[in-house]
Amino acid sequence: REGMGDSQDVERSCFVARIDDMDARHTDSAIIAVMRRVLLGILLLGLVGTGVELLLLKHFEDNWQIAPLALIGTALIVIAWHAVSPGQASLRTFQATMLLFTVSGAVGVLQHFRGNVEWELERSPGAAGVELFRLAVMGATPTLAPGTMLQLGLIGLLYAFRHPILARGAEPSSSEKRS
């Protein structure tokens, strides 16, 4: 009889452990869903704030300057699409848009730096090497400001990372539609 009690205790503890594992997974997925909503909220704030700032700075003199504004507009449209109709197509389009944000950020930093180098060479034709680099980085155009686009892109990619819609290949359940 003693052996049977031990066997039942082991079965009971295994059953409880499985329930605990299921509860932990359920809790983890709920936490991840909340984190996704928070990331999307941060992304939306960043998109709107950056868009307003670029418009106030009249950042639309040429195609290079229009690109971040066009990407921000595109991102807002894609997010609205994904909110209304969450699925693989909208999420993949969102990911592609966020990848373009990261490229835009890198290209923007380069563009700002090059513009500052040209400006500094006009002001100080003899500037070169480390001194020219320092002057260009601290120039009239904020060299690292386009890095904001890179950050927004990374936040968006983090939102989409291992999203349940992509893992399952199906439309989201009602609880996933909120994330």
Side-chain angles (χ1 to χ4, degrees), residues 39-40 42-43 94 98 150-160:
L39 285 169
L40 196 56
I42 292 169
L43 179 61
F94 176 79
M98 293 299 107
L150 179 90
Q151 291 173 335
L152 293 172
L154 292 174
I155 291 168
L157 289 172
L158 188 56
Y159 164 83

Side-chain angles (χ1 to χ4, degrees), residues 41-60:
I42 292 169
L43 179 61
L44 285 168
L45 283 172
L47 290 170
V48 171
T50 303
V52 168
E53 182 177 25
L54 290 174
L55 289 171
L56 291 173
L57 291 172
K58 297 181 177 160
H59 198 275
F60 41 76

Side-chain angles (χ1 to χ4, degrees), residues 75-94:
L76 292 171
I77 291 167
V78 171
I79 290 170
W81 172 32
H82 183 62
V84 171
S85 178
Q88 279 197 353
S90 63
L91 193 58
R92 288 293 186 197
T93 304
F94 176 79

Side-chain angles (χ1 to χ4, degrees), residues 11-178:
E11 285 178 29
R12 232 181 264 128
S13 66
C14 287
F15 178 74
V16 169
R18 274 186 254 134
I19 289 175
D20 288 345
D21 286 347
M22 288 177 4
D23 286 345
R25 280 192 299 256
H26 178 68
T27 302
D28 288 349
S29 65
I31 290 169
I32 291 170
V34 169
M35 293 300 291
R36 281 189 206 288
R37 284 193 291 274
V38 169
L39 285 169
L40 196 56
I42 292 169
L43 179 61
L44 285 168
L45 283 172
L47 290 170
V48 171
T50 303
V52 168
E53 182 177 25
L54 290 174
L55 289 171
L56 291 173
L57 291 172
K58 297 181 177 160
H59 198 275
F60 41 76
E61 291 177 9
D62 62 28
N63 290 338
W64 288 110
Q65 289 187 333
I66 293 171
L69 287 165
L71 276 173
I72 289 169
T74 300
L76 292 171
I77 291 167
V78 171
I79 290 170
W81 172 32
H82 183 62
V84 171
S85 178
Q88 279 197 353
S90 63
L91 193 58
R92 288 293 186 197
T93 304
F94 176 79
Q95 285 178 313
T97 305
M98 293 299 107
L99 281 172
L100 289 174
F101 264 72
T102 62
V103 171
S104 171
V107 169
V109 167
L110 241 152
Q111 290 290 94
H112 280 210
F113 180 76
R114 285 182 180 166
N116 285 344
V117 166
E118 287 177 26
W119 172 254
E120 292 302 332
L121 286 174
E122 285 178 19
R123 287 183 47 201
S124 308
V130 174
E131 181 62 17
L132 178 59
F133 177 81
R134 186 186 68 74
L135 290 170
V137 169
M138 297 171 56
T141 305
T143 304
L144 300 178
T148 300
M149 295 295 284
L150 179 90
Q151 291 173 335
L152 293 172
L154 292 174
I155 291 168
L157 289 172
L158 188 56
Y159 164 83
F161 180 71
R162 292 191 176 179
H163 199 288
I165 292 173
L166 300 176
R168 216 182 32 256
E171 294 305 307
S173 67
S174 60
S175 65
E176 290 168 343
K177 284 184 180 181
R178 291 179 277 155

Side-chain angles (χ1 to χ4, degrees), residues 1-14:
R1 282 217 137 145
E2 222 173 272
M4 285 181 91
D6 290 343
S7 173
Q8 287 176 345
D9 288 342
V10 169
E11 285 178 29
R12 232 181 264 128
S13 66
C14 287

